[in-house]
CSV table of all heavy atoms in Angstrom, one decimal:
chain,number,residue,atom,x,y,z
A,1,MET,N,3.6,-22.2,-9.9
A,1,MET,CA,2.2,-21.6,-10.0
A,1,MET,C,2.1,-20.5,-9.0
A,1,MET,O,2.6,-20.6,-7.9
A,1,MET,CB,1.2,-22.8,-9.7
A,1,MET,CG,-0.2,-22.4,-9.8
A,1,MET,SD,-1.2,-23.8,-9.4
A,1,MET,CE,-2.6,-23.0,-8.8
A,2,LEU,N,1.4,-19.4,-9.4
A,2,LEU,CA,1.3,-18.3,-8.5
A,2,LEU,C,-0.1,-18.0,-8.3
A,2,LEU,O,-0.9,-17.9,-9.2
A,2,LEU,CB,2.0,-17.1,-9.2
A,2,LEU,CG,2.6,-16.0,-8.3
A,2,LEU,CD1,3.6,-16.5,-7.4
A,2,LEU,CD2,3.2,-14.9,-9.2
A,3,SER,N,-0.5,-17.9,-7.0
A,3,SER,CA,-1.9,-17.5,-6.7
A,3,SER,C,-1.9,-16.5,-5.7
A,3,SER,O,-0.9,-16.2,-5.0
A,3,SER,CB,-2.6,-18.8,-6.3
A,3,SER,OG,-2.0,-19.3,-5.1
A,4,SER,N,-3.0,-15.8,-5.6
A,4,SER,CA,-3.1,-14.7,-4.6
A,4,SER,C,-3.2,-15.4,-3.2
A,4,SER,O,-3.8,-16.5,-3.0
A,4,SER,CB,-4.3,-13.8,-4.9
A,4,SER,OG,-5.4,-14.2,-4.1
A,5,ASP,N,-2.5,-14.8,-2.2
A,5,ASP,CA,-2.4,-15.4,-0.9
A,5,ASP,C,-3.4,-14.8,0.0
A,5,ASP,O,-3.3,-13.6,0.4
A,5,ASP,CB,-1.0,-15.1,-0.4
A,5,ASP,CG,-0.7,-15.7,0.9
A,5,ASP,OD1,-1.6,-16.4,1.4
A,5,ASP,OD2,0.4,-15.6,1.4
A,6,ALA,N,-4.4,-15.5,0.4
A,6,ALA,CA,-5.4,-15.0,1.3
A,6,ALA,C,-5.1,-15.5,2.7
A,6,ALA,O,-5.9,-15.2,3.6
A,6,ALA,CB,-6.8,-15.5,0.8
A,7,SER,N,-4.0,-16.2,3.0
A,7,SER,CA,-3.8,-16.7,4.3
A,7,SER,C,-3.3,-15.6,5.3
A,7,SER,O,-3.5,-15.8,6.5
A,7,SER,CB,-2.7,-17.8,4.2
A,7,SER,OG,-1.5,-17.3,3.9
A,8,GLY,N,-2.7,-14.6,4.7
A,8,GLY,CA,-2.2,-13.5,5.6
A,8,GLY,C,-3.2,-12.4,5.6
A,8,GLY,O,-4.4,-12.6,5.5
A,9,SER,N,-2.7,-11.2,5.6
A,9,SER,CA,-3.5,-10.0,5.6
A,9,SER,C,-3.9,-9.7,4.2
A,9,SER,O,-3.4,-10.2,3.2
A,9,SER,CB,-2.8,-8.8,6.2
A,9,SER,OG,-1.7,-8.5,5.3
A,10,GLY,N,-5.0,-8.9,4.0
A,10,GLY,CA,-5.4,-8.5,2.7
A,10,GLY,C,-4.5,-7.5,2.1
A,10,GLY,O,-3.4,-7.2,2.7
A,11,PRO,N,-4.9,-6.8,1.1
A,11,PRO,CA,-4.1,-5.8,0.5
A,11,PRO,C,-3.8,-4.7,1.5
A,11,PRO,O,-4.7,-4.4,2.4
A,11,PRO,CB,-4.9,-5.2,-0.7
A,11,PRO,CG,-5.9,-6.4,-1.0
A,11,PRO,CD,-6.1,-7.1,0.3
A,12,ILE,N,-2.7,-4.1,1.4
A,12,ILE,CA,-2.3,-3.0,2.3
A,12,ILE,C,-2.2,-1.7,1.4
A,12,ILE,O,-1.6,-1.7,0.4
A,12,ILE,CB,-0.9,-3.2,2.9
A,12,ILE,CG1,-0.8,-4.5,3.6
A,12,ILE,CG2,-0.4,-2.1,3.7
A,12,ILE,CD1,-1.6,-4.6,4.9
A,13,TYR,N,-2.9,-0.7,2.0
A,13,TYR,CA,-2.9,0.6,1.3
A,13,TYR,C,-2.0,1.6,2.0
A,13,TYR,O,-2.1,1.8,3.2
A,13,TYR,CB,-4.3,1.1,1.2
A,13,TYR,CG,-5.3,0.2,0.5
A,13,TYR,CD1,-6.0,-0.7,1.2
A,13,TYR,CD2,-5.3,0.2,-0.9
A,13,TYR,CE1,-6.8,-1.6,0.5
A,13,TYR,CE2,-6.1,-0.7,-1.6
A,13,TYR,CZ,-6.9,-1.6,-0.9
A,13,TYR,OH,-7.7,-2.5,-1.6
A,14,VAL,N,-1.2,2.4,1.2
A,14,VAL,CA,-0.4,3.4,1.7
A,14,VAL,C,-0.5,4.6,0.8
A,14,VAL,O,-0.6,4.5,-0.4
A,14,VAL,CB,1.1,2.9,1.8
A,14,VAL,CG1,2.0,4.0,2.2
A,14,VAL,CG2,1.3,1.7,2.7
A,15,ALA,N,-0.4,5.8,1.4
A,15,ALA,CA,-0.3,7.0,0.6
A,15,ALA,C,1.0,7.6,0.8
A,15,ALA,O,1.5,7.7,1.9
A,15,ALA,CB,-1.4,8.0,1.0
A,16,GLU,N,1.7,8.0,-0.3
A,16,GLU,CA,3.0,8.6,-0.2
A,16,GLU,C,3.0,10.0,-0.9
A,16,GLU,O,2.5,10.1,-2.0
A,16,GLU,CB,4.0,7.7,-0.9
A,16,GLU,CG,5.4,8.1,-0.8
A,16,GLU,CD,6.4,7.2,-1.6
A,16,GLU,OE1,6.7,6.1,-1.0
A,16,GLU,OE2,6.7,7.5,-2.8
A,17,CYS,N,3.6,10.9,-0.2
A,17,CYS,CA,3.7,12.3,-0.7
A,17,CYS,C,4.7,12.3,-1.8
A,17,CYS,O,5.8,11.9,-1.6
A,17,CYS,CB,4.0,13.3,0.4
A,17,CYS,SG,4.2,14.9,-0.2
A,18,THR,N,4.3,12.8,-3.0
A,18,THR,CA,5.3,12.9,-4.1
A,18,THR,C,6.2,14.1,-4.0
A,18,THR,O,7.2,14.2,-4.7
A,18,THR,CB,4.6,12.9,-5.5
A,18,THR,OG1,3.7,14.1,-5.5
A,18,THR,CG2,3.8,11.7,-5.7
A,19,THR,N,6.0,14.9,-3.1
A,19,THR,CA,6.9,16.1,-2.9
A,19,THR,C,8.0,15.8,-1.9
A,19,THR,O,9.2,16.0,-2.2
A,19,THR,CB,6.0,17.3,-2.4
A,19,THR,OG1,5.0,17.6,-3.3
A,19,THR,CG2,6.9,18.6,-2.2
A,20,CYS,N,7.7,15.2,-0.7
A,20,CYS,CA,8.7,15.0,0.3
A,20,CYS,C,8.9,13.6,0.6
A,20,CYS,O,9.9,13.2,1.3
A,20,CYS,CB,8.4,15.8,1.6
A,20,CYS,SG,7.0,15.1,2.5
A,21,GLY,N,8.1,12.7,0.0
A,21,GLY,CA,8.4,11.2,0.2
A,21,GLY,C,7.8,10.7,1.5
A,21,GLY,O,7.9,9.5,1.8
A,22,ASP,N,7.3,11.5,2.4
A,22,ASP,CA,6.6,11.1,3.6
A,22,ASP,C,5.5,10.2,3.3
A,22,ASP,O,4.8,10.3,2.2
A,22,ASP,CB,6.1,12.3,4.4
A,22,ASP,CG,5.9,11.9,5.9
A,22,ASP,OD1,6.3,10.8,6.3
A,22,ASP,OD2,5.5,12.8,6.6
A,23,ALA,N,5.2,9.2,4.1
A,23,ALA,CA,4.2,8.2,3.7
A,23,ALA,C,3.3,7.9,5.0
A,23,ALA,O,3.8,7.9,6.1
A,23,ALA,CB,4.8,6.9,3.2
A,24,SER,N,2.1,7.5,4.7
A,24,SER,CA,1.2,7.1,5.8
A,24,SER,C,1.6,5.7,6.2
A,24,SER,O,2.3,5.0,5.6
A,24,SER,CB,-0.3,7.1,5.3
A,24,SER,OG,-0.5,6.0,4.4
A,25,GLU,N,1.0,5.3,7.3
A,25,GLU,CA,1.2,3.9,7.8
A,25,GLU,C,0.3,3.0,6.9
A,25,GLU,O,-0.6,3.5,6.2
A,25,GLU,CB,0.6,3.7,9.2
A,25,GLU,CG,1.3,4.7,10.2
A,25,GLU,CD,1.7,4.1,11.4
A,25,GLU,OE1,1.2,3.0,11.8
A,25,GLU,OE2,2.7,4.6,12.1
A,26,GLY,N,0.7,1.8,6.7
A,26,GLY,CA,-0.1,0.8,6.0
A,26,GLY,C,-1.4,0.6,6.6
A,26,GLY,O,-1.5,0.5,7.8
A,27,ALA,N,-2.5,0.5,5.8
A,27,ALA,CA,-3.8,0.3,6.4
A,27,ALA,C,-4.5,-0.7,5.5
A,27,ALA,O,-4.2,-0.9,4.3
A,27,ALA,CB,-4.6,1.6,6.4
A,28,GLU,N,-5.5,-1.4,6.1
A,28,GLU,CA,-6.2,-2.4,5.3
A,28,GLU,C,-7.4,-1.9,4.5
A,28,GLU,O,-8.1,-2.6,3.9
A,28,GLU,CB,-6.6,-3.6,6.2
A,28,GLU,CG,-5.4,-4.3,6.8
A,28,GLU,CD,-5.8,-5.5,7.6
A,28,GLU,OE1,-7.0,-5.8,7.8
A,28,GLU,OE2,-4.9,-6.2,8.1
A,29,ASP,N,-7.6,-0.6,4.6
A,29,ASP,CA,-8.6,0.1,3.8
A,29,ASP,C,-8.0,1.4,3.3
A,29,ASP,O,-6.9,1.8,3.7
A,29,ASP,CB,-9.9,0.3,4.6
A,29,ASP,CG,-9.6,1.2,5.8
A,29,ASP,OD1,-9.1,2.3,5.7
A,29,ASP,OD2,-9.9,0.7,6.9
A,30,THR,N,-8.7,2.0,2.4
A,30,THR,CA,-8.2,3.2,1.7
A,30,THR,C,-8.5,4.5,2.5
A,30,THR,O,-8.0,5.6,2.3
A,30,THR,CB,-8.7,3.4,0.3
A,30,THR,OG1,-10.2,3.5,0.4
A,30,THR,CG2,-8.3,2.3,-0.6
A,31,GLU,N,-9.3,4.3,3.6
A,31,GLU,CA,-9.8,5.5,4.3
A,31,GLU,C,-8.7,6.2,5.0
A,31,GLU,O,-8.5,7.4,5.0
A,31,GLU,CB,-10.9,5.1,5.2
A,31,GLU,CG,-11.7,6.3,5.7
A,31,GLU,CD,-12.8,5.9,6.7
A,31,GLU,OE1,-13.2,4.7,6.7
A,31,GLU,OE2,-13.3,6.8,7.4
A,32,ALA,N,-7.9,5.4,5.8
A,32,ALA,CA,-6.8,6.0,6.6
A,32,ALA,C,-5.8,6.7,5.8
A,32,ALA,O,-5.4,7.8,6.1
A,32,ALA,CB,-6.2,4.9,7.5
A,33,PRO,N,-5.3,6.1,4.6
A,33,PRO,CA,-4.4,6.9,3.8
A,33,PRO,C,-5.0,8.1,3.2
A,33,PRO,O,-4.3,9.1,3.0
A,33,PRO,CB,-4.0,5.9,2.7
A,33,PRO,CG,-4.3,4.5,3.3
A,33,PRO,CD,-5.4,4.7,4.2
A,34,GLU,N,-6.3,8.1,2.9
A,34,GLU,CA,-6.9,9.3,2.4
A,34,GLU,C,-7.0,10.4,3.4
A,34,GLU,O,-6.7,11.6,3.1
A,34,GLU,CB,-8.4,9.0,1.9
A,34,GLU,CG,-8.4,8.3,0.6
A,34,GLU,CD,-9.8,7.8,0.2
A,34,GLU,OE1,-10.8,8.2,0.9
A,34,GLU,OE2,-9.9,7.0,-0.8
A,35,ILE,N,-7.3,10.1,4.6
A,35,ILE,CA,-7.3,11.0,5.7
A,35,ILE,C,-5.9,11.6,6.0
A,35,ILE,O,-5.7,12.8,6.1
A,35,ILE,CB,-7.9,10.4,7.0
A,35,ILE,CG1,-9.4,10.1,6.8
A,35,ILE,CG2,-7.7,11.3,8.2
A,35,ILE,CD1,-10.0,9.3,7.9
A,36,TRP,N,-4.9,10.7,5.9
A,36,TRP,CA,-3.5,11.1,6.1
A,36,TRP,C,-3.1,12.1,5.0
A,36,TRP,O,-2.5,13.1,5.3
A,36,TRP,CB,-2.6,9.9,6.1
A,36,TRP,CG,-1.2,10.2,6.2
A,36,TRP,CD1,-0.5,10.3,7.4
A,36,TRP,CD2,-0.2,10.6,5.2
A,36,TRP,NE1,0.8,10.7,7.1
A,36,TRP,CE2,1.0,10.9,5.8
A,36,TRP,CE3,-0.4,10.7,3.8
A,36,TRP,CZ2,2.1,11.3,5.0
A,36,TRP,CZ3,0.7,11.1,3.1
A,36,TRP,CH2,2.0,11.4,3.7
A,37,SER,N,-3.5,11.8,3.8
A,37,SER,CA,-3.2,12.7,2.7
A,37,SER,C,-3.8,14.1,2.9
A,37,SER,O,-3.1,15.1,2.7
A,37,SER,CB,-3.7,12.2,1.3
A,37,SER,OG,-3.2,10.9,1.0
A,38,LEU,N,-5.0,14.2,3.3
A,38,LEU,CA,-5.7,15.5,3.5
A,38,LEU,C,-5.0,16.2,4.7
A,38,LEU,O,-4.7,17.4,4.6
A,38,LEU,CB,-7.1,15.3,3.8
A,38,LEU,CG,-8.0,14.8,2.7
A,38,LEU,CD1,-9.4,14.4,3.1
A,38,LEU,CD2,-8.0,15.8,1.6
A,39,GLN,N,-4.6,15.5,5.7
A,39,GLN,CA,-4.0,16.1,6.9
A,39,GLN,C,-2.6,16.6,6.5
A,39,GLN,O,-2.1,17.6,6.8
A,39,GLN,CB,-3.9,15.1,8.0
A,39,GLN,CG,-5.2,14.9,8.7
A,39,GLN,CD,-5.2,13.8,9.8
A,39,GLN,OE1,-4.3,13.0,9.8
A,39,GLN,NE2,-6.1,13.8,10.6
A,40,HIS,N,-1.9,15.7,5.7
A,40,HIS,CA,-0.5,16.1,5.2
A,40,HIS,C,-0.6,17.3,4.3
A,40,HIS,O,0.2,18.3,4.5
A,40,HIS,CB,0.1,14.9,4.5
A,40,HIS,CG,1.5,15.2,4.1
A,40,HIS,ND1,2.6,15.0,5.0
A,40,HIS,CD2,2.1,15.5,2.9
A,40,HIS,CE1,3.7,15.3,4.4
A,40,HIS,NE2,3.5,15.6,3.1
A,41,ALA,N,-1.6,17.4,3.4
A,41,ALA,CA,-1.7,18.6,2.6
A,41,ALA,C,-2.0,19.8,3.4
A,41,ALA,O,-1.5,20.9,3.1
A,41,ALA,CB,-2.9,18.3,1.6
A,42,GLY,N,-2.8,19.7,4.4
A,42,GLY,CA,-3.2,20.8,5.3
A,42,GLY,C,-2.0,21.3,6.0
A,42,GLY,O,-1.8,22.5,6.2
A,43,ARG,N,-1.1,20.4,6.4
A,43,ARG,CA,0.1,20.7,7.2
A,43,ARG,C,1.2,21.3,6.4
A,43,ARG,O,1.9,22.2,6.8
A,43,ARG,CB,0.6,19.4,7.9
A,43,ARG,CG,0.7,19.5,9.4
A,43,ARG,CD,1.3,18.2,10.0
A,43,ARG,NE,1.8,17.2,9.2
A,43,ARG,CZ,1.2,16.0,9.1
A,43,ARG,NH1,0.1,15.8,9.7
A,43,ARG,NH2,1.7,15.0,8.3
A,44,THR,N,1.4,20.8,5.2
A,44,THR,CA,2.6,21.1,4.4
A,44,THR,C,2.3,21.8,3.1
A,44,THR,O,3.2,22.2,2.4
A,44,THR,CB,3.3,19.7,4.0
A,44,THR,OG1,2.4,19.0,3.2
A,44,THR,CG2,3.7,19.0,5.3
A,45,GLU,N,1.0,21.8,2.7
A,45,GLU,CA,0.6,22.3,1.3
A,45,GLU,C,1.2,21.5,0.2
A,45,GLU,O,1.3,21.9,-0.9
A,45,GLU,CB,1.0,23.8,1.2
A,45,GLU,CG,0.3,24.7,2.2
A,45,GLU,CD,0.6,26.2,2.0
A,45,GLU,OE1,1.3,26.6,1.1
A,45,GLU,OE2,0.0,27.0,2.7
A,46,HIS,N,1.6,20.3,0.5
A,46,HIS,CA,2.0,19.3,-0.5
A,46,HIS,C,0.7,18.7,-1.0
A,46,HIS,O,-0.1,18.2,-0.2
A,46,HIS,CB,2.9,18.2,0.0
A,46,HIS,CG,4.2,18.7,0.5
A,46,HIS,ND1,5.0,18.0,1.4
A,46,HIS,CD2,4.8,19.9,0.3
A,46,HIS,CE1,6.1,18.7,1.7
A,46,HIS,NE2,6.0,19.9,1.1
A,47,THR,N,0.4,18.7,-2.3
A,47,THR,CA,-0.9,18.2,-2.8
A,47,THR,C,-0.8,17.0,-3.7
A,47,THR,O,-1.8,16.5,-4.1
A,47,THR,CB,-1.6,19.3,-3.6
A,47,THR,OG1,-0.7,19.8,-4.6
A,47,THR,CG2,-1.9,20.5,-2.7
A,48,GLY,N,0.4,16.5,-4.0
A,48,GLY,CA,0.5,15.3,-4.9
A,48,GLY,C,0.8,14.0,-4.0
A,48,GLY,O,1.7,14.0,-3.2
A,49,PHE,N,0.0,13.0,-4.3
A,49,PHE,CA,0.2,11.7,-3.5
A,49,PHE,C,0.2,10.5,-4.5
A,49,PHE,O,-0.5,10.5,-5.5
A,49,PHE,CB,-0.9,11.6,-2.5
A,49,PHE,CG,-0.9,12.7,-1.5
A,49,PHE,CD1,-1.6,13.8,-1.6
A,49,PHE,CD2,0.0,12.6,-0.4
A,49,PHE,CE1,-1.6,14.8,-0.7
A,49,PHE,CE2,0.0,13.6,0.6
A,49,PHE,CZ,-0.8,14.7,0.4
A,50,ARG,N,1.0,9.6,-4.1
A,50,ARG,CA,1.0,8.3,-4.8
A,50,ARG,C,0.2,7.3,-3.9
A,50,ARG,O,0.5,7.2,-2.7
A,50,ARG,CB,2.4,7.8,-5.1
A,50,ARG,CG,2.4,6.4,-5.7
A,50,ARG,CD,3.8,5.9,-6.0
A,50,ARG,NE,4.9,6.5,-5.3
A,50,ARG,CZ,6.0,6.8,-5.9
A,50,ARG,NH1,6.2,6.5,-7.1
A,50,ARG,NH2,7.0,7.4,-5.2
A,51,ASN,N,-0.7,6.6,-4.5
A,51,ASN,CA,-1.5,5.6,-3.7
A,51,ASN,C,-0.9,4.3,-4.0
A,51,ASN,O,-1.0,3.8,-5.2
A,51,ASN,CB,-3.0,5.7,-4.1
A,51,ASN,CG,-3.5,7.1,-3.8
A,51,ASN,OD1,-3.4,7.6,-2.7
A,51,ASN,ND2,-4.2,7.7,-4.8
A,52,ILE,N,-0.4,3.6,-3.0
A,52,ILE,CA,0.3,2.3,-3.2
A,52,ILE,C,-0.6,1.2,-2.6
A,52,ILE,O,-1.1,1.3,-1.5
A,52,ILE,CB,1.6,2.3,-2.5
A,52,ILE,CG1,2.5,3.5,-2.9
A,52,ILE,CG2,2.3,1.0,-2.7
A,52,ILE,CD1,3.7,3.8,-2.0
A,53,ASP,N,-0.9,0.3,-3.4
A,53,ASP,CA,-1.7,-0.9,-3.0
A,53,ASP,C,-0.9,-2.1,-3.1
A,53,ASP,O,-0.5,-2.5,-4.2
A,53,ASP,CB,-2.9,-0.9,-4.0
A,53,ASP,CG,-3.7,-2.2,-3.9
A,53,ASP,OD1,-3.3,-3.1,-3.1
A,53,ASP,OD2,-4.7,-2.3,-4.6
A,54,THR,N,-0.5,-2.7,-2.0
A,54,THR,CA,0.3,-3.9,-2.0
A,54,THR,C,-0.5,-5.1,-1.7
A,54,THR,O,-1.2,-5.2,-0.7
A,54,THR,CB,1.3,-3.8,-0.8
A,54,THR,OG1,2.1,-2.6,-1.0
A,54,THR,CG2,2.3,-4.9,-0.8
A,55,SER,N,-0.5,-6.0,-2.6
A,55,SER,CA,-1.2,-7.3,-2.4
A,55,SER,C,-0.2,-8.4,-2.5
A,55,SER,O,0.9,-8.3,-2.9
A,55,SER,CB,-2.3,-7.5,-3.4
A,55,SER,OG,-1.8,-7.5,-4.7
A,56,PHE,N,-0.6,-9.6,-2.0
A,56,PHE,CA,0.4,-10.7,-1.8
A,56,PHE,C,0.0,-11.9,-2.7
A,56,PHE,O,-1.2,-12.1,-2.9
A,56,PHE,CB,0.4,-11.1,-0.3
A,56,PHE,CG,0.8,-10.0,0.6
A,56,PHE,CD1,-0.2,-9.1,1.1
A,56,PHE,CD2,2.1,-9.8,0.9
A,56,PHE,CE1,0.2,-8.0,1.9
A,56,PHE,CE2,2.5,-8.7,1.7
A,56,PHE,CZ,1.5,-7.9,2.2
A,57,SER,N,1.0,-12.5,-3.1
A,57,SER,CA,0.8,-13.8,-3.8
A,57,SER,C,1.7,-14.8,-3.3
A,57,SER,O,2.7,-14.5,-2.6
A,57,SER,CB,1.0,-13.6,-5.3
A,57,SER,OG,2.3,-13.2,-5.6
A,58,ARG,N,1.4,-16.1,-3.6
A,58,ARG,CA,2.3,-17.1,-3.1
A,58,ARG,C,2.6,-18.1,-4.2
A,58,ARG,O,1.7,-18.5,-4.9
A,58,ARG,CB,1.6,-17.9,-1.9
A,58,ARG,CG,2.5,-18.9,-1.2
A,58,ARG,CD,1.9,-19.4,0.1
A,58,ARG,NE,1.7,-18.3,1.0
A,58,ARG,CZ,2.7,-17.9,1.9
A,58,ARG,NH1,3.8,-18.5,1.9
A,58,ARG,NH2,2.5,-16.9,2.7
A,59,ALA,N,3.8,-18.5,-4.3
A,59,ALA,CA,4.2,-19.4,-5.3
A,59,ALA,C,4.1,-20.8,-4.7
A,59,ALA,O,4.5,-21.1,-3.6
A,59,ALA,CB,5.7,-19.2,-5.8
A,60,SER,N,3.6,-21.8,-5.5
A,60,SER,CA,3.7,-23.2,-5.0
A,60,SER,C,4.5,-24.0,-6.0
A,60,SER,O,4.4,-23.8,-7.2
A,60,SER,CB,2.3,-23.7,-4.9
A,60,SER,OG,1.6,-23.5,-6.1
A,61,LEU,N,5.4,-24.8,-5.5
A,61,LEU,CA,6.3,-25.6,-6.3
A,61,LEU,C,5.6,-26.8,-6.8
A,61,LEU,O,5.0,-27.5,-6.0
A,61,LEU,CB,7.5,-25.9,-5.5
A,61,LEU,CG,8.3,-24.7,-5.0
A,61,LEU,CD1,9.5,-25.2,-4.1
A,61,LEU,CD2,8.8,-23.9,-6.1
A,62,VAL,N,5.6,-27.0,-8.1
A,62,VAL,CA,4.8,-28.1,-8.6
A,62,VAL,C,5.8,-29.3,-8.9
A,62,VAL,O,6.9,-29.0,-9.6
A,62,VAL,CB,4.1,-27.7,-9.9
A,62,VAL,CG1,3.4,-28.9,-10.5
A,62,VAL,CG2,3.2,-26.6,-9.6
A,63,GLU,N,5.5,-30.5,-8.4
A,63,GLU,CA,6.4,-31.6,-8.7
A,63,GLU,C,6.2,-31.9,-10.2
A,63,GLU,O,5.2,-31.8,-10.8
A,63,GLU,CB,5.9,-32.8,-7.9
A,63,GLU,CG,6.0,-32.6,-6.4
A,63,GLU,CD,7.5,-32.6,-5.9
A,63,GLU,OE1,8.3,-33.3,-6.6
A,63,GLU,OE2,7.8,-32.0,-4.9
A,64,GLY,N,7.4,-32.4,-10.8
A,64,GLY,CA,7.3,-32.7,-12.2
A,64,GLY,C,8.7,-32.9,-12.8
A,64,GLY,O,9.7,-32.7,-12.1
A,65,PRO,N,8.7,-33.3,-14.1
A,65,PRO,CA,10.1,-33.5,-14.7
A,65,PRO,C,10.8,-32.2,-14.9
A,65,PRO,O,10.1,-31.2,-15.0
A,65,PRO,CB,9.7,-34.2,-16.1
A,65,PRO,CG,8.3,-33.8,-16.3
A,65,PRO,CD,7.6,-33.6,-14.9
A,66,ARG,N,12.1,-32.2,-14.8
A,66,ARG,CA,12.9,-31.0,-14.9
A,66,ARG,C,13.5,-30.9,-16.3
A,66,ARG,O,13.9,-31.9,-16.7
A,66,ARG,CB,13.9,-30.9,-13.8
A,66,ARG,CG,13.2,-31.1,-12.5
A,66,ARG,CD,14.2,-30.8,-11.4
A,66,ARG,NE,13.4,-31.0,-10.2
A,66,ARG,CZ,13.6,-30.3,-9.0
A,66,ARG,NH1,14.6,-29.5,-8.9
A,66,ARG,NH2,12.9,-30.5,-8.0
B,101,ZN,ZN1,4.9,16.0,1.7
């Protein structure tokens, strides 16, 4: 059984430049990656970004016949 894991951190948001592959640090909200994207675009004139949202799940082993 697979359920979403709320015991650790929440979803992690990262922005990654599709031109050079540089990426922001992981953040728990979308604001920091958005700011990073704008700053990166201003610095490099790279304008394409992939927004990565990582969330966590946890498997639980269920006892039963095999
Ligand atoms: Zn770039």
Side-chain angles (χ1 to χ4, degrees):
M1 182 179 153
L2 206 58
S3 56
S4 97
D5 183 3
S7 67
S9 66
I12 302 290
Y13 300 96
V14 173
E16 182 182 279
C17 177
T18 57
T19 304
C20 71
D22 200 4
S24 72
E25 306 226 335
E28 292 184 1
D29 57 59
T30 57
E31 193 180 346
E34 284 172 9
I35 292 169
W36 179 90
S37 299
L38 292 171
Q39 290 174 338
H40 186 77
R43 236 182 6 251
T44 62
E45 298 186 358
H46 299 161
T47 53
F49 297 93
R50 175 178 18 220
N51 301 307
I52 305 165
D53 168 355
T54 304
S55 59
F56 300 88
S57 57
R58 185 167 300 271
S60 53
L61 301 175
V62 179
E63 297 289 329
R66 305 188 178 209

